[in-house]
């Protein structure tokens, strides 16, 4: 039996399915992984990631292209290896991410460097290894990059990130393509910036890029951004500066709560049609997807510690917290929360606020959730593959969770649970008195 979304009736998300009343990933019971590795525990499906990637690969098949996974979404080394082995380049935003990217085995030429605040040291580091492109976000940054590259006797490959001033119709904190955002160079200044860049001895203009936001669930904003960017390419090339690649950024949304973003291949069918119609069909395309490759490939498993029913609210206190799952506290984001075993034979369904142990009222994971649970039960926080572990902190001296990657019947521990000693390692005690 299938649901309107095309998933089997017992599937919560592709590759996450109830079998014999137990939630499984690629057929592996999550309950078994939680008992083996403890909680909180992130579990990822390799098939889910590769399946998400395949939709982009299909969409761009037959076109010169490079898919650069935006690694800030989840930068665990084994996740990077998975996507790099499948052919991805990486979109980085710091020198630390560059080191991770190289450790994961990416070819430097397939690395692009985004972000508004690159330091001179980070520029030197990236120039030394020979990355593919710097996505520059301001005139001031362009001049510093020119100076750093000339100092090294090199020309830095650059693309200017343009702010197309389109509304991605997503949460204000993750909308980046509107005037008033700190990102990109304003539309009206772009042409002058390119003329300037082309005259800099330390720079080599290779592309143009935009990234309009995140968790975008509609096609319209992408088509608008595409039109604005193509207008600019036309105008820039009319001034004699040629643009080899067009980078459309990332931002495609995922299903957190019944959201229905376009499939990557369907989206690209429309975008390519637009490019072809405007005579840019042969242009090399870069994209920088993050969330849409990994978000629905991961879950966070957590144990119910205490039930705390109250007059106004019932609290379900679990062992995962805002330091593991920061999105609800940061963006009031929604994650589905489901029991690993259901139905529960002898417990009634109650409405709970699911909260963690951290000493903050902002430490909530889900509000007003109907769940039939008792203490000791295990829950899965769904859609936790993106912007969870990579944003995790040690607040309250909580060690970061362990991570497991499932590939068919094989489950591999890809990150050990962080100990308190791991956390003190870089600290120095005062001398004895
Ligand atoms: C974060 C980011 C991305 C990825 O965004 P997703 O919404 O995760 O796809 C791509 N490009 C840039 C410049 C980013 O900052």
């Amino acid at each position: 039996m299938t649901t309107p979304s095309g998933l089997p009736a017992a599937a919560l998300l592709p590759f996450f399915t109830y079998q014999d009343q137990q939630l499984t990933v690629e057929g592996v019971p999550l309950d078994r992984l939680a008992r083996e590795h403890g909680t909180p525990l992130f579990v990822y499906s390799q098939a889910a990631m590769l399946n998400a990637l395949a939709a982009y690969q299909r969409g761009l098949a037959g076109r010169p292209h490079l898919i650069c996974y935006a690694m800030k979404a989840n930068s665990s080394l084994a996740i990077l290896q998975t996507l790099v082995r499948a052919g991805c380049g990486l979109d980085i935003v710091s020198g630390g991410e560059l080191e991770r990217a190289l450790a994961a085995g990416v070819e430097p030429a397939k690395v692009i460097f985004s972000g508004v605040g690159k330091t001179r040291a980070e520029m030197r580091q990236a120039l030394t290894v020979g990355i593919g492109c710097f996505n520059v976000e301001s005139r001031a940054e362009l001049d510093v990059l020119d100076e750093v590259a000339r100092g090294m006797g090199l020309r830095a490959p650059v693309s200017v990130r343009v702010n197309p001033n389109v509304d991605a119709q997503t949460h204000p904190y993750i909308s980046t393509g509107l005037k008033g955002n700190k990102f990109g160079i304003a539309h009206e200044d772009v042409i002058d910036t390119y003329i300037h860049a082309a005259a800099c001895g330390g720079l080599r203009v290779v592309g143009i890029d935009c990234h309009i936001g995140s968790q975008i669930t509609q096609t319209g904003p992408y088509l608008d951004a595409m039109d604005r960017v193509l207008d600019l390419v036309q105008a820039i090339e009319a001034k004699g500066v040629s643009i080899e690649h067009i980078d459309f950024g990332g931002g495609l949304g995922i299903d957190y709560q019944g959201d229905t973003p376009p499939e990557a291949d369907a989206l690209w069918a429309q975008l390519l049609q637009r490019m072809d119609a405007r005579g840019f069909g042969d242009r090399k395309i870069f994209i920088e997807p993050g969330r849409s490759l990994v978000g629905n490939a991961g879950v966070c498993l957590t144990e119910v510690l205490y039930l705390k029913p109250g007059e106004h609210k019932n609290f379900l206190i679990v062992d995962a917290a805002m330091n593991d799952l920061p999105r609800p506290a940061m963006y009031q984001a929604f994650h589905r929360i489901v029991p690993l075993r259901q139905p529960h034979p002898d417990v009634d369904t109650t409405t709970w606020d699911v909260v963690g142990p951290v000493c903050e009222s902002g430490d909530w994971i889900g509000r007003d959730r109907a769940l039939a649970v008792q203490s000791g039960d295990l829950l899965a926080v769904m859609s936790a593959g993106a912007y969870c572990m990579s944003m995790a902190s040690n607040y309250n001296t909580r060690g970061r969770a362990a991570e497991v990657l499932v590939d068919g019947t094989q489950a591999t521990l890809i990150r050990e649970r962080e100990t308190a000693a791991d956390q003190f390692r870089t600290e120095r005690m005062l001398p004895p008195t």
Side-chain angles (χ1 to χ4, degrees):
M1 198 167 79
T2 56
T3 61
S5 64
L7 296 175
L12 278 178
L13 287 169
F15 306 96
F16 293 89
T17 313
Y18 281 100
Q19 294 177 10
D20 301 329
Q21 306 182 354
Q22 282 211 57
L23 188 60
T24 64
V25 54
E26 299 190 31
V28 176
L30 286 165
D31 174 272
R32 199 190 84 204
L33 299 176
R35 300 205 188 278
E36 194 175 328
H37 300 285
T39 51
L41 179 72
F42 284 92
V43 180
Y44 307 107
S45 158
Q46 182 165 310
M49 285 176 212
L50 296 179
N51 186 58
L53 175 62
Y56 282 103
Q57 290 168 327
R58 277 195 306 277
L60 294 168
R63 306 281 176 145
H65 72 271
L66 181 62
I67 301 171
C68 291
Y69 165 54
M71 64 180 277
K72 72 180 191 287
N74 186 323
S75 54
S76 298
L77 291 171
I79 305 284
L80 302 183
Q81 285 181 298
T82 300
L83 292 167
V84 166
R85 286 177 186 174
C88 289
L90 298 173
D91 175 37
I92 65 168
V93 291
S94 72
E97 284 197 347
L98 178 55
E99 290 192 41
R100 272 186 181 276
L102 296 172
V106 75
E107 280 172 54
K110 287 180 159 183
V111 172
I112 58 183
F113 195 167
S114 299
V116 295
K118 303 174 193 78
T119 65
R120 286 167 191 264
E122 288 173 324
M123 290 173 181
R124 273 192 289 273
Q125 185 189 353
L127 284 165
T128 302
V129 301
I131 68 161
C133 189
F134 289 84
N135 288 355
V136 173
E137 302 222 13
S138 65
R139 177 73 176 253
E141 182 195 336
L142 199 68
D143 289 337
V144 170
L145 181 59
D146 175 45
E147 185 190 313
V148 170
R150 275 189 286 115
M152 296 172 74
L154 297 171
R155 276 182 174 246
V158 295
S159 156
V160 170
R161 174 165 175 185
V162 305
N163 183 334
N165 195 27
V166 301
D167 185 355
Q169 304 191 352
T170 182
H171 190 283
Y173 280 14
I174 51 177
S175 183
T176 56
L178 270 176
K179 279 188 182 177
N181 287 129
K182 70 177 176 181
F183 298 103
I185 291 184
H187 200 264
E188 57 272 23
D189 300 330
V190 168
I191 296 167
D192 285 347
T193 306
Y194 269 97
I195 292 170
H196 174 68
C200 290
L203 305 178
R204 180 164 56 86
V205 172
V206 294
I208 189 168
D209 69 284
C210 75
H211 170 71
I212 56 175
S214 200
Q215 188 52 22
I216 299 168
T217 55
Q218 297 169 27
T219 306
Y222 279 109
L223 287 167
D224 291 348
M226 164 76 76
D227 276 331
R228 306 256 172 131
V229 170
L230 295 183
D231 290 345
L232 285 169
V233 174
Q234 242 157 10
I236 294 160
E237 295 196 329
K239 300 280 181 189
V241 181
S242 60
I243 304 283
E244 291 164 32
H245 76 252
I246 303 180
D247 177 346
F248 281 105
L252 185 58
I254 61 170
D255 172 14
Y256 283 106
Q257 190 181 10
D259 309 280
T260 53
E263 299 288 337
D265 46 356
L267 172 67
W268 274 96
Q270 287 199 55
L271 289 172
L272 291 175
Q273 205 174 31
R274 187 71 59 102
M275 286 181 79
D276 291 348
R278 296 195 50 179
F280 291 96
D282 57 345
R283 226 37 92 95
K284 183 159 190 185
I285 299 163
F286 284 18
I287 55 169
E288 307 164 351
R291 185 191 314 272
S292 53
L293 291 182
V294 294
N296 270 338
V299 295
C300 181
L301 307 184
T302 183
E303 182 181 326
V304 176
L305 298 176
Y306 302 108
L307 307 189
K308 189 173 174 184
E311 204 179 316
H312 298 290
K313 280 269 181 194
N314 300 315
F315 292 104
L316 196 66
I317 301 167
V318 300
D319 68 357
M322 65 186 289
N323 72 298
D324 306 296
L325 295 161
R327 299 183 59 259
M330 274 186 76
Y331 318 113
Q332 300 185 311
F334 182 96
H335 289 275
R336 288 190 187 102
I337 303 172
V338 298
L340 291 197
R341 271 175 184 282
Q342 65 177 12
H344 211 301
D346 31 48
V347 183
D348 290 335
T349 298
T350 307
T351 300
W352 299 99
D353 272 15
V354 181
V355 302
V358 163
C359 303
E360 294 282 345
S361 295
D363 181 24
W364 60 278
I365 296 169
R367 292 200 161 124
D368 298 324
R369 303 304 176 85
L371 289 162
V373 282
Q374 57 193 19
S375 69
D377 283 359
L378 293 166
L379 304 175
V381 180
M382 303 301 293
S383 307
Y387 303 108
C388 292
M389 179 51 102
S390 59
M391 282 188 173
S393 79
N394 291 123
Y395 189 37
N396 283 206
T397 307
R398 289 169 53 87
R400 279 174 298 169
E403 295 180 294
V404 167
L405 179 65
V406 170
D407 173 19
T409 55
Q410 193 156 333
T412 308
L413 183 67
I414 60 166
R415 184 193 296 264
E416 292 174 22
R417 188 171 303 286
E418 193 175 26
T419 65
D422 292 334
Q423 293 181 59
F424 313 156
R425 195 182 58 79
T426 52
E427 296 182 42
R428 293 291 174 265
M429 301 281 278
L430 294 177
T433 50

